[in-house]
Amino acid sequence: MKVTIIGSGYVGLVTGACLADLGNDVFSLDLDPRKIDILNSGGVPIYEPGLAELIARNRAAGRLQYSSDIAASVAHGEVQFIAVGTPSGEDGSADLQYVLAAARNIGRHMKGFKIVVDKSTVPVGTAGKVAAAIQDELANRGLGQSEAAFSVVSNPEFLKEGAAVEDFMRPDRIVIGCDSDATGEQAKAAMRKLYSPFNRNHERTLYMDVRSAEFTKYAANAMLATRISFMNELANLADRVGADIEHVRLGIGSDPRIGYSFLYAGTGYGGSCFPKDVQALMRTAEENGQGLKVLHAVEAVNEQQKRVLVDKIVRRLGEDLSGRTFGIWGLAFKPNTDDMREAPSRVVIAELLQLGASVRVYDPVSMKEARHALEADLGPAMSKVHFCDAQMDALKGADALVIVTEWKAFRSPDFDAIKTALKEQLIFDGRNLFEPEAMRDAAIEYQAIGRNSLPA
């Protein structure tokens, strides 16, 4: 099938490359010439495991092209995926300006039937706004539905950063929201054909109305965010009563009604999805006269959790950290990505610097993105941030090690080398990478999240 992907960001790049790998002819549009230049020169503007190889293979096969030509992109695909950003507005609502701009461009250039697929995460009711924007442009051209028919479909993505290619190629479900009229049935048939390779063993596609599909995406992310904040609150209580949250996690996760996923305590969630989507769902509720008390608590707990590591450091070393240096392992909001959006490391570093400390930082992938993010956050205080080329370099002359992101490379370090490098044998672990008993055997003071820390 001929498919157009509008937007070459995280979702658009993964969607386009994966659909091309299934044999489709994919045209990826982006209006940022810098991105198109990078892609056409063989680069990839984001880090995602396996994505660069996937793009290279399908570009070489002639199934994937990148361009800023709007008219050509609309002419190319019967199916037009809108995969542009929907950043949070000041009030927490999703900003739809890029989605609606893409819709208007389709309306300005389309000839013949088009299936317009909302792949971006959008609030309930967005499909109607997209349809209205397209219809307005068709009316400006003097065209009626018989001359340029279209159908708007909701097909939300469920991709985890760091495992997005795998998630797309082996989905646990595919959600498609279509209208029930004639054009909606035509769109449903085309989407069934497009996703047929994923349904050969068993049906993974869930068909529903458009509004329910839009709602499903927000509900899924809100539930996952809730599990994270719930476990973080329990971990903080476990610290106070002397319980081990890892044992608790295993005890409750073994119940099949609960399961183990997203039950890890840590320094809170970040990234481009959970914070934004929780806020957008709360805003939708407010606009419809309903408050979502649980999600307000989820968000509040998460913001507080990003400061838990610094609170532990202050309780151990005092509020005046002048002259102290901390080695930071992990900057990206999660492993296997370079995404620094809403990353807990940004809060940890900013607060340490505000208390007078300096930091030496290392991340296996996100050093470039981290530098940009921290420059925006810190301004002149960036002089107290030293970027290191290796994880052990971050510990040279440091008073303590602070772990913020759970990269695999951090899981089995040389503890003797860590003790030699640090001024004090002290680790503050925001991701519970090590066993407290092993740390005691190694003669390292170990402060984790919810792992037998009684109050002083």
Side-chain angles (χ1 to χ4, degrees), residues 266-287:
T267 56
Y269 59 77
S272 63
C273 294
F274 288 3
K276 174 174 69 70
D277 293 353
V278 167
Q279 288 182 8
L281 188 54
M282 289 192 296
R283 180 63 180 171
T284 296
E286 291 167 3
E287 290 172 349

Side-chain angles (χ1 to χ4, degrees), residues 44-373:
V44 180
I46 63 170
Y47 177 81
E48 178 64 34
L51 181 59
E53 296 82 358
L54 198 66
I55 288 174
R57 179 166 70 243
N58 285 283
R59 278 177 53 82
R63 292 189 297 265
L64 183 59
Q65 59 179 305
Y66 296 97
S67 174
S68 295
D69 189 332
I70 295 172
S73 74
V74 178
H76 178 85
E78 176 188 2
V79 182
Q80 303 267 320
F81 280 90
I82 298 179
V84 297
T86 53
S88 290
E90 292 184 4
D91 61 356
S93 62
D95 185 345
L96 297 178
Q97 62 172 311
Y98 304 112
V99 171
L100 297 180
R104 285 191 289 271
N105 283 334
I106 293 171
R108 290 188 188 109
H109 296 281
M110 62 182 284
K111 297 175 182 177
F113 181 69
K114 297 291 181 184
I115 301 161
V116 181
V117 183
D118 284 336
K119 197 68 173 173
S120 303
T121 300
V122 294
V124 176
T126 298
K129 296 178 180 179
V130 167
I134 295 172
Q135 196 58 59
D136 284 347
E137 293 299 330
L138 293 175
N140 290 339
R141 295 168 58 194
L143 300 177
Q145 283 231 338
S146 60
E147 298 165 289
F150 66 93
S151 182
V152 180
V153 172
S154 177
N155 174 216
E157 53 86 12
F158 299 98
L159 307 177
K160 298 186 297 292
E161 290 193 45
V165 172
E166 178 73 11
D167 285 347
F168 195 101
M169 291 303 204
R170 291 176 174 81
D172 47 21
R173 81 282 204 198
I174 300 165
V175 172
I176 295 177
C178 296
D179 291 330
S180 57
D181 57 13
T183 56
E185 289 299 319
Q186 189 175 348
K188 182 177 178 180
M191 296 301 288
R192 180 182 287 113
K193 178 182 177 182
L194 182 64
Y195 283 118
S196 61
F198 301 112
N199 295 311
R200 285 176 180 160
N201 292 328
H202 65 272
E203 182 65 49
R204 290 180 170 85
T205 306
L206 303 174
Y207 296 99
M208 58 187 72
D209 62 276
V210 173
R211 284 177 172 259
S212 295
E214 292 171 333
F215 202 163
T216 297
K217 169 63 176 180
Y218 281 108
N221 279 354
M223 173 58 78
L224 296 174
T226 299
R227 288 170 67 94
I228 293 170
S229 282
F230 175 74
M231 284 303 290
N232 282 334
E233 277 218 299
L234 292 187
N236 296 338
L237 179 58
D239 266 341
R240 291 185 174 274
V241 302
D244 188 329
I245 197 64
E246 178 60 14
H247 294 165
V248 175
R249 183 186 74 84
L250 294 172
I252 66 175
S254 59
D255 186 330
R257 296 169 300 176
I258 298 173
Y260 297 105
S261 297
F262 286 82
L263 286 186
Y264 291 93
T267 56
Y269 59 77
S272 63
C273 294
F274 288 3
K276 174 174 69 70
D277 293 353
V278 167
Q279 288 182 8
L281 188 54
M282 289 192 296
R283 180 63 180 171
T284 296
E286 291 167 3
E287 290 172 349
N288 287 273
Q290 179 179 340
L292 295 179
K293 296 178 182 178
V294 170
L295 289 191
H296 280 281
V298 167
E299 185 180 47
V301 167
N302 192 60
E303 288 306 303
Q304 179 183 349
Q305 197 67 19
K306 292 180 180 181
R307 293 166 171 79
V308 164
L309 271 183
V310 176
D311 291 342
K312 288 178 177 290
I313 292 169
V314 167
R315 282 198 296 271
R316 174 63 177 78
L317 300 174
E319 291 190 2
D320 184 2
L321 300 178
S322 300
R324 292 194 179 271
T325 299
F326 295 90
I328 307 288
W329 281 3
L331 299 170
F333 89 93
K334 64 179 289 188
N336 297 322
T337 181
D338 61 352
D339 197 339
M340 288 294 297
R341 286 173 288 185
E342 302 286 342
S345 65
R346 298 170 69 167
V347 175
V348 171
I349 290 169
E351 294 212 348
L352 288 175
L353 267 56
Q354 191 171 25
L355 294 170
S358 299
V359 294
R360 296 174 62 83
V361 303
Y362 172 76
D363 188 282
V365 168
S366 69
M367 297 292 272
K368 180 179 177 182
E369 292 299 321
R371 186 181 293 274
H372 294 321

